[in-house]
Amino acid sequence: MIKKDLSIEFLGVKFENPFCLSSSPVGNCYDMCKKAYEVGWGGVVFKTIGPKSYFIDEVSPRFDKLNKENTPFVGFKNMEQIAEHSLEENLRDLRKLKKEFPNKVLIASIMGNDEKTWEDLARMVEEAGADMIEMNLSCPQMTSHAMGSDVGTNPELCKKYCQAVKRGSKLPMMAKMTPNITDMVPVALACLEGGADGIAAINTIKSICNIDLDKKIGLPIVDGKSAISGYSGKAVKPVALRFLQQMRQDPRLKDLPISGIGGIETWEDAAEFILVGASTLQVTTGIMQYGYRIVEDMKNGLMHYMEEQGVEHLSELVGLANKNIIPAENLNRDYIVRPTFDYDKCVKCGRCYISCYDGGHQAIEWDAENRKPTCNKDKCVGCLLCGHVCPVGAISKGEITIKAGRKTKAKDVRL
Amino acid sequence: MDSNYKKELEPGFSPLTVCEEASRCLLCLDAPCSKACPAGTSPDKFIRSVRFRNFKGAAETIRENNALGAICARVCPTEKYCQKGCSRSGIDRPIDIGRIQRYVTDYEESLKMEILKAGKANGKKVAIVGSGPSALQAAVSLRSLGYAVEVFEKEKVLGGMLRLIPEYRLPDRVVDKEIERIEKLGVKFHVGECVGKDVKLEELKKAFDAVLLAPGYSYGKMLPAFEGNPNVVLAVDFLREVKAKKGEVKVPANVLVVGGGDVAMDVVTTLKLLGVEHVTDVVYEQFKEFKASKKELEGAQRLGVTIMDGYVPAKVEGKVVSFAHREIKGEVKIEADKIILAVGQYPDVSGLGVELVKGEVNEGKKYFTKDPKVFVCGDIAKSEFDKTVVGGVRTGKEVALYIDAALGGK
């Protein structure tokens, strides 16, 4: 079995591997975190610890999921707030975990409701042995508007609370961002100004997953009603990657340390987050569906990827894609690349024809007798929708044509 | 002893697995499946409905094209029709269309959907002789065009050859439900009335605007060498008895079957499910030219039936039959306690005023007879399709249109 060093340093703390539980139901108590460490997770962000005065009162049931065809959990909706155990119990669990797993990283997620509680919580978790603090500025389903994503969309408030946390503790600290905002950059900058050392992104997206068609109520139903709450899972990965990229492409945040979160289930997802700038990775929904064991294939797969890439240290991969994602207006618009068909692979289903006609430019011609698609070059604009709908990968990028009067040479185009 | 015979051999899909199977479908532009269905059902349309979670719509597509949708879902030799050209075969294997149809028709039944509708009464009446697949479909198609329809069945139970298909492939309850649905449409059924014997054709011609003959191949053929042998039973009689008695029959431990069509496969599989230890099937055709559907042949082989292909009976002495191979030299001698012949069937058209040429009526255009008031469908009608349930459904649909045209409809 392949063996590669997956360790990485993040905010001055060494992780044996970048995979962490995110602050959520999957890291809710000592037993859960112990099992996760034993299965091989590099770190745990313990479920958010709140102030003593804030009473956690959860609904039942509290989850819903989005399916597509026969794939469940395309997306997942969650109504849980922060840790429901008492402050004392949580601190006791942190102490026990640090004592028993000194080489694993223990991150305390905290959420105050005013400057004093933020400061107090920071001090208490440091005393309990946490290696790092994550500020939860982003839970979208808090029952108090002085907490959660209502705070995370207000840069001034974020800065103030970051300062409070830094007064309470000298531990490295990351601020966890809400995606329920158009631009994350001002909030991230405010947090850094307030003393944050890095950013965790993203928390869940406000959502309604499904509506019960008979009862006319959103799901899950709580005594005949439902509420908007956070959406996660594979479906949110594209949104998360976009936020990471947007932060890292801002000159002020060029080398921003990020802990990436949002729909990570496979080593490929993990690698994508790393390539847009994440140093560590946090997972919840994949674990809720499949259990802690998913880390085994994420770690092993990532090692093989490093091997293929000829990389000795994970840090070498961090942010490599950032420079290759540029504003749309800067892309080369000088050429079109048209599809080429591999007729040995083609199963003659005609899906390319349907999609090109109904969703493209009517450029695929269908030889009904032989059930064979061909491309009409005069009509084809090179959008390559056909390649995406082909079930057998028989359509790929073919001939390049340079638009009239443009300077680019076909041989220089990198497809 | 009977438990396996009464259980459906092939499990149905669950809500999960039917969606998985529908997701495998490539949703072709010019779906080969829909071009190949003798009943004119569009599998591509109902599979797409399942894919997009419109199960009721899927049921409509099936039922409006095929009054025996739940039956065909179970017995249709799909590998010869809809599944034959399936584009998915280019990747791995065809979509299991029959089983998706079964799920959808079971769903339809569970909701007691009433999809078939009678047309506005046009004041005209049609009598149908026989109640097999083609007759049932014709009755529905004619009702939807507004005709009053009465069906005359010589047996005590309705369904014709459907009552011969073994319970493990086609449970009686499924046939009963399909007929119940047709009865609800206003079709009047007469059982135990044999036209040509108990009821004269002339009487029907007087009382009805048209008479449709659909007698079916209900009688088993005998081979001269086996005639009068007390150990010999005809396949159709055997199957009918086992089904009527729900598998509560006594069969010896060593049975020889002669024949290689679908009926023969039904016989050998039934014997195995009844617990018969030695089932030997000797078949005229060699495997390369086999008549039975591949699925039924494989099912029989899985259950451990011994099949010898390419042999013809040469000599019969009581329980001992000698066979000779058609191409190679050599003889095989088999002794069995019971011999079942599954070597073809024929119809009885006595008193129906038609003549048969090679088992079919050939007195004019397809579905017509020399009598302008009398039409034919089902096994005795000329058809480009095999004489299967779905082939019967096809003729029933088509003949209804011809009758309608002849009686002044559109």
Side-chain angles (χ1 to χ4, degrees):
Chain A
M1 195 181 265
I2 189 168
K3 209 71 207 147
K4 279 267 187 194
D5 180 12
L6 285 180
S7 69
I8 193 159
E9 198 177 288
F10 177 62
L11 311 187
V13 177
K14 190 176 175 185
F15 290 69
E16 66 173 47
N17 70 62
F19 297 105
C20 303
L21 311 188
S22 42
S23 158
S24 74
V26 301
N28 190 31
C29 64
Y30 165 80
D31 287 333
M32 296 173 90
C33 298
K34 174 177 187 283
K35 183 178 171 190
Y37 281 147
E38 285 167 354
V39 172
W41 292 81
V44 159
V45 186
F46 197 86
K47 195 174 184 188
T48 305
I49 300 170
K52 208 166 189 169
S53 60
Y54 183 72
F55 176 57
I56 291 292
D57 195 8
E58 299 289 9
V59 292
S60 166
R62 59 190 71 161
F63 305 127
D64 191 26
K65 68 179 191 299
L66 186 73
N67 298 342
K68 180 169 162 53
E69 287 144 21
N70 59 333
T71 308
F73 272 76
V74 170
F76 183 70
K77 178 182 142 105
N78 165 21
M79 298 202 65
E80 271 192 24
Q81 305 177 80
I82 58 178
E84 80 270 29
H85 301 301
S86 71
L87 180 60
E88 290 73 25
E89 286 172 308
N90 290 326
L91 294 173
R92 184 199 63 204
D93 284 358
L94 291 182
R95 269 191 291 272
K96 212 167 154 193
L97 284 166
K98 194 64 227 173
K99 193 174 161 217
E100 289 179 30
F101 299 93
N103 297 323
K104 298 277 188 178
V105 178
L106 180 61
I107 302 163
S109 170
I110 57 171
M111 185 194 287
N113 48 11
D114 56 23
E115 286 181 77
K116 178 162 186 339
T117 47
W118 279 105
E119 186 180 330
D120 291 346
L121 285 167
R123 188 174 48 251
M124 285 187 271
V125 297
E126 181 172 10
E127 282 165 8
D131 300 302
M132 191 183 288
I133 291 173
E134 179 178 276
M135 288 179 64
N136 184 341
L137 297 163
S138 43
C139 176
Q141 55 250 11
M142 297 304 293
T143 52
S144 158
H145 293 286
M147 299 168 86
S149 60
D150 289 340
V151 175
T153 49
N154 181 336
E156 279 312 305
L157 215 46
C158 288
K159 182 179 170 183
K160 204 165 74 174
Y161 290 157
C162 286
Q163 287 166 335
V165 166
K166 278 293 176 183
R167 282 196 299 274
S169 160
K170 297 294 166 233
L171 284 178
M173 183 271 279
M174 55 183 162
K176 186 167 174 181
M177 301 286 105
T178 175
N180 300 298
I181 189 168
T182 311
D183 185 359
M184 205 173 267
V185 170
V187 181
L189 284 170
C191 289
L192 295 183
E193 278 172 37
D197 303 291
I199 293 294
I202 61 173
N203 205 318
T204 56
I205 303 173
K206 290 186 184 184
S207 72
I208 298 169
C209 242
N210 299 286
I211 307 279
D212 183 305
L213 296 179
D214 291 327
K215 297 176 182 153
K216 285 95 184 163
I217 309 169
L219 295 174
I221 297 170
V222 178
D223 189 21
K225 302 286 179 193
S226 71
I228 287 169
S229 76
Y231 188 56
S232 61
K234 196 82 169 188
V236 313
K237 186 190 80 171
V239 179
L241 292 176
R242 157 235 165 177
F243 276 119
L244 263 64
Q245 172 67 22
Q246 281 182 322
M247 288 191 285
R248 296 266 301 192
Q249 76 188 16
D250 188 292
R252 293 163 294 180
L253 298 173
K254 200 165 78 64
D255 296 312
L256 177 71
I258 298 176
S259 187
I261 316 167
I264 300 171
E265 283 181 7
T266 67
W267 67 269
E268 288 165 317
D269 300 327
E272 289 171 336
F273 273 83
I274 292 169
L275 291 172
V276 296
S279 298
T280 61
L281 308 157
Q282 299 185 27
V283 181
T284 283
T285 311
I287 297 171
M288 292 186 79
Q289 189 182 4
Y290 300 112
Y292 298 126
R293 59 192 173 166
I294 62 171
V295 78
E296 294 162 7
D297 285 302
M298 292 200 287
K299 280 161 61 181
N300 184 267
L302 197 55
M303 287 179 195
H304 282 289
Y305 177 65
M306 287 170 70
E307 179 81 9
E308 287 159 23
Q309 297 294 313
V311 164
E312 284 310 312
H313 300 285
L314 209 48
S315 56
E316 296 167 48
L317 293 170
V318 175
L320 289 187
N322 288 134
K323 64 178 186 306
N324 297 325
I325 300 167
I326 59 174
E329 61 269 29
N330 295 345
L331 291 171
N332 184 349
R333 290 164 190 269
D334 288 357
Y335 69 94
I336 31 182
V337 54
R338 296 197 174 87
T340 177
F341 299 87
D342 180 340
Y343 293 112
D344 290 333
K345 280 190 189 169
C346 176
V347 290
K348 306 173 190 290
C349 67
R351 288 284 294 276
C352 53
Y353 170 84
I354 294 173
S355 287
C356 184
Y357 203 100
D358 298 359
H361 297 79
Q362 303 80 51
I364 290 183
E365 284 167 5
W366 182 250
D367 172 352
E369 198 184 324
N370 298 305
R371 306 186 69 211
K372 185 177 172 181
T374 47
C375 176
N376 177 337
K377 286 188 181 174
D378 296 335
K379 287 184 168 179
C380 179
V381 300
C383 72
L384 287 168
L385 172 64
C386 49
H388 289 285
V389 297
C390 177
V392 290
I395 304 176
S396 51
K397 294 174 194 166
E399 193 188 327
I400 293 172
T401 308
I402 304 295
K403 293 176 187 169
R406 304 293 176 92
K407 290 191 204 112
T408 301
K409 299 252 185 304
K411 67 172 172 52
D412 297 330
V413 173
R414 292 159 296 169
L415 289 177
Chain B
M1 182 155 172
D2 60 348
S3 61
N4 285 338
Y5 174 77
K6 285 203 293 194
K7 237 177 11 206
E8 277 195 85
L9 203 54
E10 190 179 50
F13 277 135
S14 68
L16 171 75
T17 53
V18 76
C19 288
E20 282 179 354
E21 192 62 11
S23 298
R24 290 181 60 241
C25 175
L26 301 177
L27 307 177
C28 298
L29 168 68
D30 55 346
C33 53
S34 294
K35 290 181 183 159
C37 177
T41 303
S42 297
D44 86 299
K45 188 160 164 44
F46 75 73
I47 295 171
R48 184 148 38 94
S49 295
V50 170
R51 171 80 158 258
F52 295 109
R53 305 194 50 74
N54 179 16
F55 297 101
K56 287 184 178 174
E60 286 171 344
T61 297
I62 294 167
R63 187 57 67 189
E64 282 168 2
N65 282 296
N66 186 344
L68 305 183
I71 292 172
C72 284
R74 290 167 166 84
V75 303
C76 200
T78 46
E79 92 267 9
K80 287 186 192 168
Y81 299 123
C82 54
Q83 289 178 203
K84 190 175 180 184
C86 179
S87 301
R88 180 76 204 203
S89 305
I91 299 176
D92 47 13
R93 59 187 192 282
I95 305 303
D96 192 345
I97 297 172
R99 241 191 312 175
I100 295 180
Q101 178 161 329
R102 178 170 151 195
Y103 180 87
V104 172
T105 50
D106 284 352
Y107 175 85
E108 171 199 19
E109 177 54 34
S110 73
L111 293 186
K112 304 273 171 246
M113 287 176 74
E114 291 185 10
I115 297 166
L116 296 173
K117 300 272 184 283
K120 196 169 157 245
N122 63 12
K124 290 184 175 152
K125 289 159 69 180
V126 179
I128 301 179
V129 178
S131 67
S134 68
L136 293 172
Q137 177 62 55
V140 169
S141 297
L142 287 164
R143 277 303 288 148
S144 71
L145 291 165
Y147 292 89
V149 178
E150 292 187 33
V151 170
F152 297 82
E153 168 59 51
K154 66 178 166 33
E155 303 288 336
K156 289 276 186 294
V157 284
L158 294 165
M161 295 298 279
L162 296 172
R163 300 296 181 179
L164 257 71
I165 301 175
E167 191 75 7
Y168 63 82
R169 271 178 74 202
L170 181 62
D172 263 334
R173 64 176 160 77
V174 175
V175 181
D176 293 342
K177 288 285 178 200
E178 301 276 60
I179 293 173
E180 216 173 89
R181 242 178 239 125
I182 296 168
E183 206 163 12
K184 266 195 193 151
L185 275 187
V187 173
K188 224 183 253 173
F189 288 106
H190 305 267
V191 291
E193 290 186 32
C194 181
V195 175
K197 213 194 275 170
D198 309 323
V199 188
K200 292 279 174 279
L201 182 67
E202 286 310 311
E203 293 168 34
L204 288 186
K205 279 169 65 182
K206 255 182 234 159
F208 291 86
D209 297 286
V211 180
L212 174 59
L213 307 177
Y217 286 6
S218 22
Y219 299 92
K221 281 186 187 164
M222 175 60 83
L223 295 173
F226 293 88
E227 210 144 2
N229 188 327
N231 307 299
V232 172
V233 182
L234 297 174
V236 288
D237 300 329
F238 171 74
L239 291 174
R240 194 176 277 123
E241 189 197 350
V242 178
K243 188 154 194 184
K245 293 184 177 166
K246 301 275 170 237
E248 302 286 337
V249 291
K250 275 210 167 121
V251 197
N254 175 14
V255 182
L256 171 66
V257 181
V258 180
D262 285 321
V263 172
M265 292 304 109
D266 282 349
V267 171
V268 295
T269 305
T270 296
L271 288 167
K272 271 289 168 195
L273 294 174
L274 289 174
V276 176
E277 192 171 353
H278 302 286
V279 181
T280 312
D281 185 22
V282 183
V283 185
Y284 175 87
E285 290 85 15
Q286 299 184 60
F287 281 129
K288 61 186 179 196
E289 52 188 354
F290 223 68
K291 278 186 176 166
S293 94
K294 217 172 160 185
K295 195 169 130 194
E296 299 309 319
L297 169 63
E298 284 168 1
Q301 287 173 323
R302 249 199 317 277
L303 289 170
V305 175
T306 304
I307 300 178
M308 297 167 56
D309 61 322
Y311 284 88
V312 278
K315 202 166 140 199
V316 185
E317 292 170 305
K319 292 182 171 184
V320 182
V321 186
S322 304
F323 295 91
H325 196 276
R326 283 164 54 209
E327 289 178 8
I328 56 174
K329 277 190 183 159
E331 236 186 36
V332 174
K333 203 182 261 190
I334 294 167
E335 181 173 343
D337 297 322
K338 193 182 186 94
I339 300 165
I340 301 179
L341 289 189
V343 293
Q345 289 107 246
Y346 65 95
D348 181 5
V349 293
S350 52
L352 297 181
V354 289
E355 273 175 47
L356 299 177
V357 181
K358 289 184 181 167
E360 291 178 346
V361 172
N362 193 5
E363 299 179 356
K365 278 196 298 179
K366 192 158 102 169
Y367 304 125
F368 287 84
T369 68
K370 54 187 181 295
D371 186 332
K373 257 190 133 171
V374 179
F375 299 80
V376 293
C377 72
D379 292 340
I380 65 165
K382 281 182 288 185
S383 170
E384 64 269 43
F385 296 102
D386 290 345
K387 299 196 186 301
T388 54
V389 175
V390 73
V393 168
R394 166 67 163 239
T395 67
K397 280 175 85 167
E398 281 186 350
V399 78
L401 299 176
Y402 283 107
I403 292 173
D404 187 43
L407 296 188
K410 276 175 233 149

